[in-house]
Every structure is written in structure tokens, then in C-alpha cells.
Amino acid sequence: MKIAIVMGSVSDYDKVKEACEFLNMLEVPFEIRALSAHRTSVELDSFIEKYDDEIDVYIAAAGKAAHLPGVIAAKTCKPVIGIPIKSSALEGMDALLSIVQMPPGVPVATVAINGSKNAAILACQILSLKYAELADKMKKYKKDMETDTLRKEKEFLDSIR
């Protein structure tokens, strides 16, 4: 099981850091690269060609024109999750629309602008279909989230009574 996180630029790392932290927490192996669909297209092609058999899910983060997720989706049959990055005067809407408006036959699952943690969670949910151990970790994560939310609600209610 392996996830590839591909950023359009090293400057995008602060936006994908949460995804890395989540995958590390669940001990899910991942590869991270900074490969631009425009500036390093040959290296991007080589990366996909060389490692596609080892990768189960791609997470691609890009801003502005945000072609990276779509370019990856065009070159693999593996699931691709796009993270639109807020990096321009348009507050990430340009990236969101670029990623979500893919042509028929080349889908990219898209999360919220700067939503890298949800991208990692979605990737793990996809992998949970194949890997029972990860499915168990995801069930525990969801249960812990529920427990924490109910604890916070109780604290809130106790504080206003």
C-alpha cells in the first residue's frame, strides 16, 4: 500500500503538511514529490511511469491553473485526489474550478481548498477497501473523532448550565 503526494511546487508543502501528518499517524507509507505539470513535465511523466505499479492512490496539490491532478489522472488508472491550493488573488477558486471540471473519462476526486487532511482521509478510506488493517485504523479514527466531539459537547453544556 502506498500513496503518492505530488505538489506543484515546494512552496505548497505547508498546505499538504496535514496530509503527511495524518498518513504518518496511521503509519501509511507515502512518497512526496514537488513536480510541476508545466515546469517539470518530463520528470512527472517519468515518476508516474516508474512508480505507478507501486502506488495505490495519488494526491495532487496545485494552485492557480492547477493542471497537476488532471495530468496525473490522464496518465494512470489509479484514483487521483486533487487538492486546490489557495495561491492567487482568486483565493483558490481558480484551482478548485480547474480541478473539479475534468472531462469525461478523466475523473479527479476533489477536496476543499487547502483540504489536505481530507485528501489523506479519503485516500485511506479508498485503501481501506483493500487493506483490512487500515480499515480498522480508520474505524478507530472515526470512533475517536466521535468520542472527542461528544466530550466537547458535554463540556460545553456543563459550562452553560
Side-chain angles (χ1 to χ4, degrees):
M1 140 182 49
K2 192 174 209 177
I3 295 172
I5 299 175
V6 184
M7 311 171 289
S9 167
V10 295
S11 64
D12 295 332
Y13 180 71
D14 63 323
K15 307 291 190 322
V16 301
K17 186 178 178 185
E18 276 190 292
C20 299
E21 291 169 348
F22 184 82
L23 295 173
N24 282 329
M25 179 185 78
L26 293 187
E27 299 176 322
V28 174
F30 66 94
E31 176 79 19
I32 187 164
R33 295 292 307 269
L35 298 170
S36 167
H38 304 107
R39 294 183 299 264
T40 60
S41 60
V42 173
E43 183 62 30
L44 176 62
D45 289 350
S46 296
F47 173 74
I48 295 167
E49 186 177 313
K50 184 174 181 180
Y51 295 105
D52 197 52
D53 289 341
E54 300 173 29
I55 295 168
D56 290 309
V57 178
Y58 289 88
I59 296 173
K64 299 181 182 173
H67 293 128
L68 182 62
V71 169
I72 293 171
K75 297 175 183 297
T76 184
C77 292
K78 307 291 176 70
V80 177
I81 302 167
I83 305 169
I85 299 294
K86 182 181 189 179
S87 63
S88 71
L90 298 175
E91 300 294 310
M93 286 301 296
D94 47 350
L96 174 64
L97 295 174
S98 292
I99 295 171
V100 80
Q101 293 294 336
M102 292 300 298
V106 190
V108 173
T110 310
V111 296
I113 296 168
N114 293 347
S116 73
K117 185 174 182 181
N118 268 355
I121 292 169
L122 179 56
C124 289
Q125 289 179 179
I126 291 167
L127 292 175
S128 290
L129 295 169
K130 185 176 177 182
Y131 301 101
E133 180 182 322
L134 183 57
D136 291 341
K137 289 179 181 180
M138 287 302 298
K139 286 175 188 172
K140 182 182 180 321
Y141 171 75
K142 297 271 184 160
K143 185 64 179 170
D144 290 349
M145 190 170 49
E146 175 187 26
T147 300
D148 187 52
T149 300
L150 292 172
R151 178 190 55 77
K152 288 177 181 174
E153 181 205 30
K154 182 182 180 320
E155 290 172 1
F156 166 74
L157 292 174
D158 289 347
S159 75
I160 62 171
R161 290 187 179 142

